[in-house]
Amino acid sequence: AQPCFHFVKLSGLLLASLFAWYLGYIFAAHVPQESLSTSIAYLQDIGKKPVLKAPLPKRQKCDHWSPCSPGSYAYRVLSGGGKEKLAKICFEDELLISEEKGNVGRGINIAIVNYETGELTSANFFDMWEGDHSEEMVAFIENAPQGSLLFMVTHDDGSARLKSNAKKLVEALGSKEIQNMKFRSSWVFIAAKGFKLPDDIEREKINHSDSKKNRYNGWPAEIQIEGCIPRNLM
């Protein structure tokens, strides 16, 4: 019975092969050669076509995740981190204070912008570790014209030689953290002179040095604020 079973199985395979060959012969005989070649070429081209990829997201001003409305200014203020990562102030996609510009330094860095034009008026940093620069900072802020935006950010330490009158001046501009500034605190703040900023924009942030939590040896992690300032506040 076993040899008979193998013979039947072999016969079936032979018949199936002959039937498949016959169908292929009939197909080739009735399908035009041009259509057959086109179909084969199409199948071959499928593997050659490039894979479509999603487009990269468009870069926004000051590296925001989402764009500001056309009637707003974009800003981003980043504090320093340790000694190596320097502070940055970006406004309308222009770096006002940065390592690249060569105008960032230890202490409190301040950029003043004309609110109506969006143009930089002046920028400077005030070392609060060596020398007596607190009064210079007071004069710099007081000399800012009415209708100015002020961006302030620390690098390294901004508190050691910061005097009480300077703190009161910054507090009068709306700061809620300047009186809490400690040694090597990371601090960022934006203010307006001669007009009021909306309550819903991010204006200030502070991060104190803590030996148990510091990201860098002796310094806390850098912090940042960013947002959009409407252009119709004046």
Side-chain angles (χ1 to χ4, degrees), residues 206-225:
I206 195 167
N207 189 20
H208 298 299
S209 178
D210 185 331
S211 59
K212 295 180 181 179
K213 299 179 181 179
N214 284 341
R215 176 177 294 177
Y216 308 101
N217 184 25
W219 288 269
E222 60 270 54
I223 53 174
Q224 72 173 19
I225 56 175

Side-chain angles (χ1 to χ4, degrees), residues 7-234:
F7 175 76
V8 171
K9 186 176 180 181
L10 181 61
S11 299
L13 288 172
L14 287 172
L15 287 173
S17 298
L18 287 171
F19 185 66
W21 174 85
Y22 181 71
L23 285 178
Y25 173 78
I26 296 297
F27 178 77
H30 288 81
V31 176
Q33 184 66 30
E34 183 179 349
S35 299
L36 187 61
S37 299
T38 301
S39 300
I40 294 172
Y42 175 77
L43 290 173
Q44 290 174 338
D45 286 343
I46 290 177
K48 298 178 183 178
K49 289 183 178 180
V51 178
L52 295 178
K53 296 181 179 180
L56 293 173
K58 182 180 178 182
R59 182 186 170 278
Q60 305 300 333
K61 290 180 179 179
C62 294
D63 294 320
H64 282 201
W65 284 105
S66 56
C68 291
S69 66
S72 299
Y73 291 122
Y75 70 89
R76 182 171 179 256
V77 187
L78 175 68
S79 74
K83 281 190 174 182
E84 304 301 324
K85 294 189 176 182
L86 305 184
K88 289 183 180 181
I89 297 175
C90 178
F91 182 77
E92 278 296 278
D93 217 26
E94 180 183 352
L95 288 174
L96 307 182
I97 285 180
S98 69
E99 183 177 10
E100 294 87 339
K101 298 272 287 188
N103 62 349
V104 60
R106 181 175 59 189
I108 297 179
N109 295 259
I110 304 177
I112 300 173
V113 172
N114 182 305
Y115 172 74
E116 291 187 341
T117 65
E119 297 295 325
L120 177 68
T121 302
S122 53
N124 208 341
F125 67 90
F126 304 91
D127 192 342
M128 294 298 163
W129 179 249
E130 289 183 345
D132 185 7
H133 304 289
S134 186
E135 294 302 328
E136 293 175 19
M137 188 181 104
V138 168
F140 185 76
I141 294 173
E142 289 180 338
N143 289 331
Q146 294 293 307
S148 294
L149 289 166
L150 292 90
F151 300 86
M152 307 185 192
V153 60
T154 56
H155 173 66
D156 194 348
D157 176 60
S159 68
R161 294 178 180 269
L162 185 64
K163 295 180 179 179
S164 60
N165 64 328
K167 291 182 180 180
K168 288 178 181 178
L169 179 60
V170 175
E171 186 176 35
L173 289 171
S175 172
K176 298 184 184 334
E177 299 290 353
I178 190 68
Q179 297 289 357
N180 301 323
M181 185 96 74
K182 300 176 182 178
F183 179 61
R184 287 181 177 173
S185 292
S186 292
W187 175 70
V188 291
F189 175 59
I190 68 169
K193 192 172 182 181
F195 63 101
K196 186 178 183 299
L197 292 173
D199 294 331
D200 60 348
I201 70 170
E202 193 173 23
R203 297 183 58 185
E204 187 174 27
K205 192 178 287 186
I206 195 167
N207 189 20
H208 298 299
S209 178
D210 185 331
S211 59
K212 295 180 181 179
K213 299 179 181 179
N214 284 341
R215 176 177 294 177
Y216 308 101
N217 184 25
W219 288 269
E222 60 270 54
I223 53 174
Q224 72 173 19
I225 56 175
E226 66 178 38
C228 308
I229 301 173
R231 301 192 186 200
N232 59 352
L233 301 177
M234 289 182 64

